[in-house]
Amino acid sequence: MSEADLQRAAVEWLRLVLGRHYLIGHSANEGKRSRTAGGILKAQGMQPGTPDITITGRRFAAYIELKMPGRKLSPTQEAFRDECGRKGVPWHLCYSLGQIEQFVLLLGIAKRRGSALRAVPPDRLREVDRATDTPGRYQPDLGPVVP
């Protein structure tokens, strides 16, 4: 399985589980470009190091960077991860669909119902946050999710 295969499977699974309440997207940030083309894209808002998958909902965003086992983050990916940590934005490096499942469960945007995962509507998450008087469910210093 290649990283592109993992990406396709991850997006398909996330849309199946979360698609009713969340948008799942990919930033086509990879690939070689001429210096001119890169400058144009940067001026248009392309952010170096943007993760492979973005999950967004009402007042919610999270990022997932996908890698094959043994592959490491680039310096721009590390910088993006660190910036997310400073701003309290959920970001996680995943090597498998199982790790993605653990991440969305950790975020609280999905929960188990029987053998399947179901999305938690964004409005319900805000109600839970208000009830517990917490700014969010994600703690950026939890460390990596283990398969």
Side-chain angles (χ1 to χ4, degrees):
M1 174 184 264
S2 70
E3 195 169 305
D5 294 331
L6 176 59
Q7 169 95 19
R8 282 189 289 274
V11 167
E12 182 178 338
W13 183 83
L14 285 164
R15 285 181 176 158
L16 179 68
V17 173
L18 303 176
R20 182 169 173 218
H21 301 291
Y22 298 89
L23 297 170
I24 311 302
H26 168 68
S27 175
N29 223 10
E30 64 278 332
K32 299 286 183 188
R33 296 177 181 83
S34 71
R35 183 178 282 258
T36 302
I40 291 169
L41 291 172
K42 187 174 181 180
Q44 292 174 339
M46 181 173 275
Q47 176 72 35
T50 300
D52 295 309
I53 297 174
T54 303
I55 303 169
T56 56
R58 182 177 287 169
R59 298 182 188 171
F60 177 84
Y63 294 104
I64 298 173
E65 178 62 43
L66 298 172
K67 292 285 183 200
M68 296 305 294
R71 301 284 311 269
K72 299 194 185 289
L73 297 174
S74 71
T76 58
Q77 290 170 329
E78 289 176 347
F80 194 99
R81 175 205 58 204
D82 295 346
E83 187 66 17
C84 285
R86 283 189 289 278
K87 293 181 177 174
V89 176
W91 182 104
H92 198 68
L93 173 61
C94 295
Y95 294 95
S96 68
L97 290 176
Q99 288 183 335
I100 295 169
E101 178 181 348
Q102 289 180 25
F103 183 53
V104 298
L105 287 168
L106 175 70
L107 290 172
I109 60 174
K111 62 182 178 178
R112 287 196 184 281
R113 288 196 187 143
S115 62
L117 289 182
R118 297 284 187 258
V120 176
D123 290 340
R124 178 68 186 123
L125 290 178
R126 282 199 315 281
E127 291 171 20
V128 170
D129 286 346
R130 281 194 299 269
T132 59
D133 197 35
T134 60
R137 295 143 311 285
Y138 180 73
Q139 299 298 318
D141 60 350
L142 290 177
V145 174
V146 185

